[in-house]
Amino acid sequence: VTGALIHLVDPALDGFVDRYVGGPVDVSRCMFMFTLNDAAQVSPVLLNRLRLVNTDPLTSAEKRAMFDSHLVKQVMDGLDFSLEFTSEAADLLVAQHSGGEAGVRVLKRSVEAVVSEWVLRKGGVDGTVDAKSVADWLPRAEEQGGPCTHLYS
């Protein structure tokens, strides 16, 4: 993959020939955006062709806003029941189950784990998750040696 990315972002290259498209693809007016967690893991040749824009980690308030506006909806999308989280449950998830990461991937996994626990314990019925349920169902990250991952082990 690295070789393809290096070729794709080469400033001397205006395009490439794509077999699927069946002809040349002009990328001279394209802007490519990549995200990375650790620049040390990226090829120095590729890094040389990129402009790095460092961002600050999300604050707890920003994670909470994303929890309220996106994460629960994403997790519940396609399920035949609805769950709401009390304010205290949401605060507990953000504070103790977001893995200390800059983003919200671990927080989303924690929401998925709570929804799975809900289904196992109460079935696919509508309801409200409270802070006690979160505390009972999810071990704190430090108690299990890291963030919520039991669904993905």
Side-chain angles (χ1 to χ4, degrees):
V1 171
T2 299
L5 291 176
I6 289 170
H7 185 71
L8 189 63
V9 297
D10 185 347
L13 182 71
D14 287 338
F16 59 93
V17 176
D18 184 84
R19 291 185 198 138
Y20 182 77
V21 173
V25 177
D26 180 16
V27 294
S28 63
R29 295 176 38 161
C30 293
M31 179 173 66
F32 298 97
M33 296 180 74
F34 308 100
T35 62
L36 59 92
N37 292 326
D38 184 2
Q41 299 293 320
V42 179
S43 161
V45 175
L46 181 57
L47 275 178
N48 187 43
R49 296 179 182 185
L50 300 177
R51 172 186 281 174
L52 292 181
V53 177
N54 294 310
T55 58
D56 292 329
L58 294 175
T59 65
S60 293
E62 290 168 328
K63 288 181 182 183
R64 175 59 196 268
M66 291 186 76
F67 176 92
D68 291 334
S69 63
H70 300 296
L71 293 180
V72 174
K73 291 175 188 168
Q74 283 180 351
V75 172
M76 296 303 296
D77 186 42
L79 298 178
D80 291 334
F81 64 99
S82 66
L83 279 184
E84 294 182 8
F85 287 75
T86 65
S87 182
E88 295 81 12
D91 290 341
L92 182 63
L93 280 164
V94 169
Q96 295 183 6
H97 298 285
S98 60
E101 71 167 346
V104 292
R105 286 181 289 192
V106 174
L107 180 58
K108 182 179 178 189
R109 286 188 204 127
S110 296
V111 172
E112 290 169 345
V114 168
V115 171
S116 294
E117 287 291 338
W118 179 274
V119 170
L120 290 172
R121 294 170 186 261
K122 303 192 182 228
V125 297
D126 296 350
T128 302
V129 177
D130 60 14
K132 182 178 180 340
S133 297
V134 171
D136 290 347
W137 297 346
L138 297 182
R140 293 181 62 161
E142 57 271 11
E143 293 171 1
Q144 64 177 2
C148 177
T149 57
H150 72 275
L151 292 177
Y152 306 96
S153 302

